Amino acid sequence: MFAQRMSLQEREKVLGLVLVTPAVAIILSLILYPIIYNLYLSFFDVNPMAGNTYVGLENHRNVVTDPTFWKSVFTTIVYVFSTTIGTTLMGLLVALAMNRKFPFRGVVRSLVLFPYVAPVISVVFSWQFFFDPVNGIFMDLAYDKLGLFSSRFNLIGSPSTAVWVAIAFSIWKNFPFSYLMILARLQAIDETLYEAAEIDGASGWHKFRFITFPEVYFVMGAIILLRVIWNFNKFEEVFLLTENVRVLSVYTYYKAFVGTMELGQGASLAVIQFILLIVFILFYVKRVLKW
Amino acid sequence: MKKWFSSVVLFIFALSLVWAGGQSEAPGESEETVSQEVTIEFWTTQTQSDRMATIQVLVDTFEALNPNINVKLVAVDENDMATQINTAAASNTLPAIIESDTESIVAFGAEGLLNSEAISGLIESIGPEKFYRGALSLNESAEKGVYYGVPYHGWVQGIWYRADWFEEAGLEPPSTWENILKAAEYFYRPEINQYGILVGTKAEAYTEQCFTQIAMANGAQLFDAQGNLIFDTPEMREAVEYYAELAKYTPPGPQTWRARDYYLQGKMAMFFYSTYIMDDLALESDAQDSLTNSNFADLEGKSFDPELVENTRVATTISKTQEAGYGTILSFGIPAHGDELKTAAAVKFLSYLFTPNAYVTWLHMAPGGMNPVLKEMAVNPRFQNDPKGIFQHYGKEKMAEIIQGLNSIETFSIVEGKRMAAASTIYSKQIIPQMIYRITQEGMEVDAAMDWAEMEMRKLME
């Protein structure tokens, strides 16, 4: 029939289109549509009961003139910057150590992955118990046993210290991913390179600086990019551990769904967050990854 | 071969579209009777697994009696109820029944989210005169005889305190502003890990519950009888300042009801709590999860103190310029989803929950914490003979006093007998807890925080 009149190449083409259609449809309906609808909502005063009223750029204006928004941008930058540097460096160090030969290396290598695979909620509870001001082991050690502080305090609950706990938590939880990627790359480096360097009289630092580092540079570059994207949008790790760290995603949640629900401003915040991230990615891909 | 393959893919794709399209149910095909098969969702704030299990038993029994009705039990945290209901309303997926604190029920009702006709009909069929007047009137709308929800059970709040410590120190019971502050200051010894009092400092419902009683004792109100917002009064300011002062003697950082554990471990002198605490005080098995784990032998407060129940007393009222009691009635509401079949099924299920067997089973989930709102149930011998032996432990008189307390609960949302719906909205949006959090944790000045709170309240009332 119809199909027989087409050439083999044309039929291949049609089949290809048919095969990608479901995926395209899913992406369009589950990713593109929400993004566009969110963009649309950000220009409205959203009221689920009474309907939406068009307000132009007012939501965006309200958001950027609110000092708490800038405070949250600052918190986000501190959080993303510290956790990205932390997870990458920690991952690199652990990978370098795990690349050497020692007894039970296989067991240790898989144990290091534990924080990354453990469910967030269960480790969050352990951390909360750990830092409880009255019953926690941390205060018991640091205050009662070692006398490091003049009084007990709520490290995980106080707004001023909570962000540092959140950062430490994220580094601990996510460094195994960087470690895994870097270790895989390390194992692929040709041993002869090191041997040649040794003959030329290179020190340990020189070997790292001129062989190891260039070899892992692009892996680390990619890991950093991924980590920035993930942690910039991170919600559950921060929110479950402590509600006091208002990174942009948590701030948006509070703005949109808690108290006086400002759904329009929430949408506008999501748009702004999206733009900030896109700008960073474009800059980074061009400058660091040199694509 | 390829043709065959591509048509299979197309078929699967088409099937998924059909399936997705079938997800939304056609509303409004209704019949008065529940002769058709129907599934209703029941949202409860009883999120603990053992309570869920008990409610599930009631649901199963009901389903066995009514084979056409399926009840799907969903647990919703009390602090998330407002968010969940509002989003469900927006997406047209309202449940058939919700169980929540009366303030929230009234707030939802005032927003037009509840079917007050169906609920008022149910109350009429049970008989309004059988309810405790106070519990029922909390559910009443501005129109007499029209109710947003039907009350089911309730608790009374008070300050629970170490009578033995107070006696030793020669301090008066904490039933006045002055005595509370004095004792909180006296027992606050952070150097030995001992704290004066627990008041809520997290932006949560518990904080508002503690604060309301303190503010009421000073005659502070959110609204006057004409419905004008009168938040910025000297009485309210005094209450906020006093509360911030008490917060200094609370364990460090933002705290909520969970910190009552410190009391059970013998590290605190006073704490605000509902009558739900009665079984934890009296029974080792219930106290277990409040004690520090026995795996950490060096930590204090790991074992159950059998004398704690004898050494604990409760002050259910607080006074400054007047006496104030506080508590919460939990009510059922039927959301206005427009599906009459589901509404009829919901009414049927609620009527079943008011039958003696089901009612007693429900209340015995937390003796002391869950008290009946029907007068005849309060004196029902089966109710008074709870399996945990709480009634025996505290004595019938004490229990009767507590249940009586349900009649005199005061809230910001009823002023001189008039319903202030806006106060319930303010409660469900947790404006006051957020204000207290800013003052006690972020170091905001009382003036600035109160200005902020008033601005938010006015925004809500627009």
Side-chain angles (χ1 to χ4, degrees):
Chain A
M1 272 178 29
F2 176 64
Q4 279 159 346
R5 266 182 275 133
M6 289 195 296
S7 69
L8 184 68
Q9 233 175 358
E10 278 172 335
R11 287 198 341 234
E12 288 267 307
K13 215 187 262 174
V14 170
L15 175 66
L17 283 176
V18 169
L19 287 180
V20 295
T21 310
V24 170
I26 287 171
I27 290 173
L28 286 182
S29 59
L30 294 182
I31 297 179
L32 204 64
Y33 166 70
I35 290 178
I36 290 170
Y37 187 60
N38 180 74
L39 196 66
Y40 163 84
L41 280 185
S42 71
F43 296 107
F44 287 82
D45 182 12
V46 182
N47 187 335
M49 311 304 150
N52 307 337
T53 19
Y54 180 74
V55 291
L57 285 172
E58 200 185 299
N59 283 330
H60 301 275
R61 202 178 304 127
N62 282 339
V63 166
V64 294
T65 52
D66 187 349
T68 53
F69 165 72
W70 291 105
K71 218 175 117 190
S72 129
V73 169
F74 177 72
T75 313
T76 312
I77 291 173
V78 171
Y79 177 77
V80 172
F81 184 79
S82 316
T83 51
T84 307
I85 299 288
T87 47
T88 314
L89 283 185
M90 182 103 164
L92 178 64
L93 285 177
V94 177
L96 288 174
M98 293 296 154
N99 202 30
R100 290 161 187 269
K101 285 199 172 72
F102 59 87
F104 302 112
R105 186 170 71 165
V107 180
V108 177
R109 271 184 181 175
S110 32
L111 277 182
V112 170
L113 290 178
F114 174 74
Y116 193 65
V117 297
V120 183
I121 189 65
S122 55
V123 286
V124 156
F125 278 135
S126 331
W127 275 61
Q128 282 175 345
F129 179 58
F130 195 71
F131 288 113
D132 184 285
V134 176
N135 287 331
I137 318 232
F138 178 76
M139 275 297 150
D140 191 55
L141 275 178
Y143 172 75
D144 277 342
K145 303 273 172 4
L146 300 174
L148 295 179
F149 306 112
S150 60
S151 66
R152 281 172 183 266
F153 58 95
N154 197 335
L155 198 65
I156 213 164
S158 302
S160 53
T161 51
V163 65
W164 301 109
V165 181
I167 288 170
F169 179 79
S170 174
I171 293 175
W172 172 80
K173 178 109 182 67
N174 294 314
F175 88 86
F177 178 76
S178 316
Y179 144 80
L180 208 60
M181 294 296 126
I182 296 173
L183 183 64
R185 187 72 197 84
L186 284 179
Q187 286 172 340
I189 301 177
D190 196 343
E191 271 301 315
T192 54
L193 289 175
Y194 291 106
E195 285 164 15
E198 265 168 43
I199 292 169
D200 288 343
S203 68
W205 164 249
H206 280 128
K207 277 192 278 180
F208 174 77
R209 171 70 187 80
F210 295 107
I211 302 172
T212 315
F213 187 69
E215 289 280 347
V216 297
Y217 178 82
F218 284 103
V219 173
M220 280 173 66
I223 294 171
I224 288 176
L225 180 64
L226 286 175
R227 183 53 56 204
V228 168
I229 296 172
W230 288 339
N231 278 11
F232 195 80
N233 295 326
K234 189 66 83 184
F235 179 79
E236 79 284 6
E237 276 176 23
V238 184
F239 184 74
L240 291 175
L241 187 68
T242 161
E243 292 146 41
N244 299 329
V245 181
R246 301 279 166 99
V247 292
L248 273 173
S249 54
V250 176
Y251 179 75
T252 306
Y253 170 76
Y254 275 103
K255 199 80 190 169
F257 298 112
V258 179
T260 43
M261 290 165 65
E262 308 270 9
L263 291 169
Q265 284 194 34
S268 147
L269 270 164
V271 171
I272 293 172
Q273 193 174 341
F274 185 64
I275 293 171
L276 287 176
L277 193 56
I278 289 289
V279 168
F280 169 80
I281 291 174
L282 289 179
F283 169 81
Y284 184 88
V285 164
K286 224 175 168 59
R287 284 300 169 84
V288 182
L289 294 181
K290 297 165 190 156
W291 284 353
Chain B
M1 181 62 197
K2 266 180 202 155
K3 205 170 123 195
W4 172 83
F5 185 69
S6 57
S7 49
V8 166
V9 170
L10 262 179
F11 176 72
I12 291 173
F13 184 51
L15 200 70
S16 71
L17 279 181
V18 170
W19 178 78
Q23 285 301 291
S24 58
E25 291 160 31
E29 291 167 303
S30 58
E31 256 187 53
E32 278 304 311
T33 54
V34 195
S35 53
Q36 283 165 271
E37 187 96 2
V38 61
T39 299
I40 56 173
E41 249 182 51
F42 171 28
W43 288 8
T44 175
T45 48
Q46 310 301 328
T47 50
Q48 292 92 326
S49 53
D50 50 336
R51 292 194 197 158
M52 292 277 291
T54 309
I55 299 173
Q56 190 60 51
V57 169
L58 292 174
V59 166
D60 293 343
T61 315
F62 174 75
E63 284 176 346
L65 295 169
N66 299 272
N68 279 331
I69 305 175
N70 298 307
V71 182
K72 210 176 126 206
L73 185 61
V74 180
V76 178
D77 187 274
E78 57 173 356
N79 290 300
D80 293 337
M81 191 52 103
T83 305
Q84 295 291 346
I85 283 289
N86 281 312
T87 40
S91 60
N92 227 340
T93 52
L94 281 168
I97 305 170
I98 54 170
E99 182 232 16
S100 192
D101 59 291
T102 308
E103 291 289 342
S104 301
I105 295 279
V106 170
F108 304 150
E111 284 172 50
L113 295 175
L114 298 180
N115 184 342
S116 47
E117 204 181 313
I119 279 289
S120 304
L122 174 68
I123 291 173
E124 205 51 53
S125 72
I126 297 170
E129 71 288 346
K130 290 187 179 165
F131 288 90
Y132 282 111
R133 189 68 223 145
L136 193 59
S137 65
L138 283 176
N139 281 284
E140 202 162 19
S141 68
E143 200 180 321
K144 283 277 165 230
V146 175
Y147 299 91
Y148 290 131
V150 56
Y152 195 54
H153 59 102
W155 48 263
V156 178
Q157 174 177 274
I159 297 186
W160 301 77
Y161 64 101
R162 288 293 295 251
D164 52 336
W165 293 7
F166 271 68
E167 206 170 306
E168 209 177 305
L171 289 165
E172 294 287 313
S175 51
T176 67
W177 269 31
E178 204 193 336
N179 290 345
I180 298 168
L181 188 60
K182 216 160 122 190
E185 224 173 325
Y186 182 86
F187 291 117
Y188 181 71
R189 292 183 202 152
E191 67 282 0
I192 57 164
N193 213 6
Q194 178 186 304
Y195 303 90
I197 189 167
L198 169 67
V199 291
T201 47
K202 225 178 190 181
E204 281 190 16
Y206 172 74
T207 303
E208 174 129 12
Q209 290 157 8
C210 301
F211 179 77
T212 304
Q213 198 172 3
I214 283 173
M216 288 279 176
N218 202 31
Q221 285 286 0
L222 283 183
F223 291 93
D224 64 13
Q226 282 74 48
N228 305 309
L229 185 69
I230 48 160
F231 180 67
D232 197 4
T233 54
E235 289 83 16
M236 187 61 87
R237 180 172 306 268
E238 256 176 43
V240 175
E241 280 164 0
Y242 176 78
Y243 195 91
E245 186 68 19
L246 280 186
K248 290 182 186 159
Y249 306 111
T250 286
Q255 295 292 357
T256 179
W257 60 271
R258 190 73 238 183
R260 59 94 195 259
D261 291 0
Y262 305 146
Y263 182 87
L264 293 170
Q265 296 158 9
K267 296 171 183 167
M268 203 155 59
M270 294 179 278
F271 68 116
F272 271 90
Y273 217 84
S274 65
T275 39
Y276 272 106
I277 200 67
M278 295 172 92
D279 49 353
D280 299 83
L281 285 173
L283 307 171
E284 179 161 7
S285 54
D286 287 19
Q288 213 41 261
D289 64 348
S290 291
L291 305 169
T292 54
N293 197 302
S294 48
N295 290 335
F296 304 102
D298 286 349
L299 286 178
E300 268 177 73
K302 68 183 172 66
S303 51
F304 180 67
D305 177 2
E307 277 161 24
L308 193 60
V309 63
E310 306 296 328
N311 291 330
T312 299
R313 301 253 186 299
V314 59
T316 47
T317 59
I318 297 177
S319 61
K320 169 85 191 318
T321 57
Q322 62 194 62
E323 206 163 75
Y326 185 79
T328 288
I329 301 288
L330 279 287
S331 301
F332 292 122
I334 298 182
H337 40 62
D339 185 335
E340 282 175 39
L341 188 65
K342 284 188 180 178
T343 305
V347 169
K348 197 143 197 203
F349 182 64
L350 291 182
S351 314
Y352 161 74
L353 288 182
F354 275 101
T355 58
N357 279 342
Y359 206 0
V360 168
T361 308
W362 184 295
L363 296 173
H364 279 178
M365 282 194 276
M370 293 178 171
N371 297 293
V373 295
L374 292 183
K375 291 176 205 161
E376 58 192 44
M377 184 49 68
V379 292
N380 182 318
R382 274 192 50 215
F383 166 63
Q384 290 176 336
N385 185 19
D386 66 292
K388 289 178 176 174
I390 295 294
F391 272 84
Q392 222 176 348
H393 218 109
Y394 289 90
K396 280 181 188 168
E397 267 168 49
K398 184 81 199 164
M399 299 304 283
E401 190 191 312
I402 287 168
I403 297 171
Q404 263 308 308
L406 290 180
N407 234 347
S408 54
I409 286 173
E410 285 181 77
T411 72
F412 285 136
S413 48
I414 293 187
V415 183
E416 290 170 28
K418 285 190 200 138
R419 157 71 55 201
M420 302 290 152
S424 299
T425 310
I426 290 170
Y427 177 92
S428 76
K429 302 293 184 189
Q430 304 183 342
I431 309 270
I432 289 176
Q434 289 183 57
M435 172 189 80
I436 287 167
Y437 175 80
R438 281 161 194 248
I439 296 171
T440 60
Q441 303 305 314
E442 298 187 327
M444 205 184 217
E445 293 294 325
V446 170
D447 283 327
M450 283 184 71
D451 285 348
W452 171 85
E454 186 165 357
M455 207 178 74
E456 291 292 301
M457 290 174 189
R458 294 207 183 277
K459 244 194 253 173
L460 278 180
M461 291 164 63
E462 266 168 25

